[in-house]
Amino acid sequence: MAFVEEFGIMVGAVLTIMIYSFLVKDNPLFRVAERLTVGLGIGYALTLGMKNVFRLCINPLMDGDILLIIPLILSLLQFTTFTKESKFLAKWPLAIILGTGTGLAMRGTMKAQIISQLLASAPSPFITGDMLSTFNNIVIAVIPMCILIYFLFSFGEGKVTKGVGRIGVFSMMVGFGASFGNYVLTRETILYGRVKFLLTQYPANYVTYAVVTAIIIYTVYYFLSPRARARVQ
Amino acid sequence: MKEFHVRIVAVALLFICIGIPIIYPFGLPISVSKETLDVYNYVESLNAGDIIYMTTDTGFSQIPEVGPPIVAFITHCFRNDIRIVHFCLSTEGGLVLNFLMPSVETSGKTYGVDWVELGYFSGEETALASLAISIKDMVSVDFYGNNLEDLPLMEDVDGAKDISLFVGVAGALTGGYIRQIGDPFDLMIIVLARAANAPALYPYVNAGQVKITVGVRGGAEYEMLINRPGEGLATTDVISIGHLLVVGGIIFGNSIFLYERVNKKRRGEL
């Protein structure tokens, strides 16, 4: 393994541990690593963005695709926002971005996210030979109604609507619980990736051993020295 | 100080529970879910030579979770001679694929013939809409600067009308995939989803618009299906132990809460 690659892995290990030091408390090491991560991310995105501008716009423009001058001028107009006199010009590219984005998103929303979902809520056949899928069909059809009733405040709150709304609330809680569980799974997997890197990737594992040894020595010192305990407390 | 100690103990426990199976894997058995099997069967139903669009819309930090399903899925596609046009709508997507490609089974596959990397396109849904209509109207070179006219694969594909399947990674942009590609071109969408995004995708799955694999578990199942154990199956032990710890924590926390509540009631404080 080349020295540069090994050095990169060691830096990665040190930065990972610096980030995890936040678990103890907010500290300068964490803040350095945090700002470095944000800075690198922005730097990378900026470089890629510039590369994209050249690949998609400036290079074809140089090759004679003259129409590309329009998006280039529009994008340059975004920078007029920095002076008070020319600020109004920045509204044009923004309007085009928002208009195009909204128009495109609206194009298929009705079918993709409303009609298809409604049709899926009324499965056919509703009652099947399989008990579990019949129960599933009932849940899919009934629960959205209960949740809608909970959120509809336009009619008075009677005993029935209150009861049905309560079913809606419980259903939502089940849904949020499932989402939370999946979120934990995602975070756990990311933690796994880091722990595996720290324990098995050479030479990151040596950095980990050094840090763990330092923590053990400090813990022993903490318990043996009344002065250290007093300072922490 | 007490809270600090509890936090440190909880985190240390989690680190230990994750660390032990990494060093000594248990090999806990897993079953294949219907969702992953559906994805596998759909890829099996495609013909050799079919072309798919694939977009990796996720960051480098998500590799432990989306890496296994990506590697298994591309390997499966290559085994079935399915060709891939890859691009990304998030800045780090290209990096993610470059990092993962050495783990993919690419024997006998050639860049430009079996797969092409178009790189990053800004604009998310807007870019997707343009790529669905025509790649060549939008860009004339691939990510590495090769002219698209020189790449044999690009002779057979220009837009979504020429593809058989659209594959997204992560799942945050699934609404856009359906709006711009799935519905207008009547194409199936497969999402190699992060577990965190999966609950939001189930309405689409129920409506038959999307097929998904869920997180690293989905990747592990896919590895089993293609008979190529990899990082996904190695992770399942860790995930199972980690989940047991979290479930144990939830039961323990709730028991303490209920115990204190009962005690308070007894003392008449509630």
Side-chain angles (χ1 to χ4, degrees):
Chain A
M1 198 185 282
F3 172 74
V4 177
E5 203 178 327
E6 280 180 8
F7 183 72
I9 291 169
M10 278 178 77
V11 170
V14 170
L15 285 173
T16 305
I17 292 165
M18 281 163 79
I19 290 279
Y20 281 133
S21 70
F22 183 74
L23 292 167
V24 178
K25 64 175 186 180
D26 194 2
N27 64 75
L29 289 178
F30 165 74
R31 271 176 265 152
V32 167
E34 186 195 30
R35 280 155 179 73
L36 203 61
T37 310
V38 173
L40 280 172
I42 291 172
Y44 177 71
L46 188 71
T47 314
L48 209 63
M50 283 307 293
K51 192 180 169 186
N52 235 16
V53 170
F54 275 91
R55 193 167 69 111
L56 298 177
C57 189
I58 294 177
N59 291 346
L61 184 68
M62 294 297 183
D63 292 340
D65 194 349
I66 200 75
L67 277 176
L68 286 172
I69 195 98
I70 299 168
L72 189 66
I73 291 171
L74 281 169
S75 58
L76 288 173
L77 282 179
Q78 295 245 34
F79 294 102
T80 57
T81 192
F82 294 121
T83 60
K84 214 174 175 180
E85 294 76 29
S86 59
K87 210 174 175 180
F88 71 98
L89 288 168
K91 287 179 182 170
W92 286 98
L94 204 63
I96 289 170
I97 290 168
L98 287 176
T100 316
T102 312
L104 273 169
M106 289 289 286
R107 182 171 77 160
T109 300
M110 271 306 281
K111 186 172 182 299
Q113 283 169 305
I114 297 174
I115 295 171
S116 297
Q117 315 307 317
L118 279 174
L119 289 174
S121 302
S124 175
F126 197 79
I127 295 167
T128 62
D130 180 16
M131 284 283 284
L132 199 67
S133 40
T134 305
F135 175 73
N136 205 21
N137 290 346
I138 293 169
V139 169
I140 289 170
V142 172
I143 297 303
M145 293 298 162
C146 296
I147 295 170
L148 279 174
I149 286 170
Y150 173 73
F151 281 112
L152 284 177
F153 303 109
S154 52
F155 52 87
E157 198 183 64
K159 268 187 182 172
V160 177
T161 49
K162 204 175 174 183
V164 171
R166 217 168 159 71
I167 296 172
V169 172
F170 280 117
S171 314
M172 281 192 288
M173 283 166 77
V174 170
F176 295 146
S179 294
F180 174 74
N182 277 290
Y183 204 77
V184 170
L185 178 61
T186 292
R187 295 294 152 200
E188 227 173 67
T189 316
I190 294 168
L191 177 64
Y192 157 77
R194 286 295 84 195
V195 174
K196 191 180 179 191
F197 168 74
L198 290 174
L199 289 179
T200 59
Q201 176 90 53
Y202 172 82
N205 48 357
Y206 285 99
V207 175
T208 313
Y209 301 150
V211 172
V212 169
T213 312
I215 290 171
I216 291 169
I217 290 170
Y218 181 76
T219 311
V220 171
Y221 169 67
Y222 172 79
F223 282 110
L224 292 181
S225 158
R227 233 176 70 194
R229 270 206 308 276
R231 203 171 57 222
V232 171
Q233 274 155 10
Chain B
M1 202 63 198
K2 196 177 162 189
E3 191 191 313
F4 166 75
H5 280 137
V6 170
R7 199 171 66 220
I8 289 293
V9 168
V11 170
L13 215 59
L14 192 61
F15 269 91
I16 291 165
C17 284
I18 284 179
I20 289 171
I22 289 173
I23 299 164
Y24 306 107
F26 311 128
L28 294 171
I30 61 161
S31 57
V32 177
S33 66
K34 186 187 171 297
E35 288 87 354
T36 311
L37 194 62
D38 283 350
V39 172
Y40 176 84
N41 286 336
Y42 196 86
V43 175
E44 282 290 303
S45 73
L46 296 176
N47 300 316
D50 276 356
I51 300 168
I52 64 173
Y53 269 8
M54 183 169 182
T55 168
T56 307
D57 304 326
T58 189
F60 216 71
S61 64
Q62 308 293 328
I63 282 181
E65 181 159 44
V66 295
I70 292 176
V71 170
F73 183 85
I74 298 179
T75 299
H76 188 204
C77 288
F78 281 168
R79 279 184 189 175
N80 290 12
D81 293 327
I82 293 160
R83 296 176 289 170
I84 300 172
V85 176
H86 182 269
F87 54 88
C88 50
L89 305 173
S90 76
T91 50
E92 291 178 36
L95 275 181
V96 171
L97 195 80
N98 276 344
F99 183 81
L100 294 172
M101 272 318 263
S103 310
V104 173
E105 199 179 284
T106 50
S107 54
K109 300 293 167 191
T110 318
Y111 181 79
V113 178
D114 299 292
W115 87 93
V116 164
E117 170 62 55
L118 294 178
Y120 166 65
F121 293 95
S122 57
E124 294 187 353
E125 204 167 330
T126 325
L128 200 58
S130 298
L131 287 165
I133 295 164
S134 172
I135 294 171
K136 287 162 195 164
D137 278 356
M138 200 172 172
V139 65
S140 55
V141 290
D142 69 355
F143 181 66
Y144 306 107
N146 302 310
N147 211 322
L148 291 187
E149 287 168 4
D150 301 334
L151 302 172
L153 170 55
M154 298 313 292
E155 286 171 15
D156 299 334
V157 59
D158 187 32
K161 64 183 189 309
D162 304 315
I163 62 170
S164 312
L165 173 69
F166 182 88
V167 184
V169 174
L173 301 174
T174 306
Y177 304 155
I178 298 170
R179 284 192 294 267
Q180 305 308 331
I181 304 254
D183 275 353
F185 295 92
D186 199 17
L187 280 171
M188 178 49 73
I189 310 275
I190 284 178
V191 180
L192 310 175
R194 289 167 66 220
N197 293 119
L201 302 183
Y202 275 101
Y204 301 125
V205 176
N206 288 336
Q209 296 163 300
V210 169
K211 293 185 188 300
I212 60 170
T213 65
V214 182
V216 71
R217 167 71 195 243
E221 292 168 5
Y222 214 103
E223 285 172 3
M224 274 176 72
L225 286 168
I226 62 166
N227 200 17
R228 188 175 184 261
E231 198 60 35
L233 279 166
T235 314
T236 48
D237 280 351
V238 178
I239 299 302
S240 303
I241 300 295
H243 265 51
L244 277 177
L245 184 74
V246 172
V247 169
I250 290 170
I251 293 170
F252 182 69
N254 278 286
S255 308
I256 299 276
F257 171 74
L258 287 172
Y259 175 75
E260 282 182 353
R261 203 178 154 85
V262 168
N263 267 356
K264 274 183 184 174
K265 261 192 180 173
R266 267 193 204 148
R267 291 198 299 265
E269 290 173 14
L270 271 178

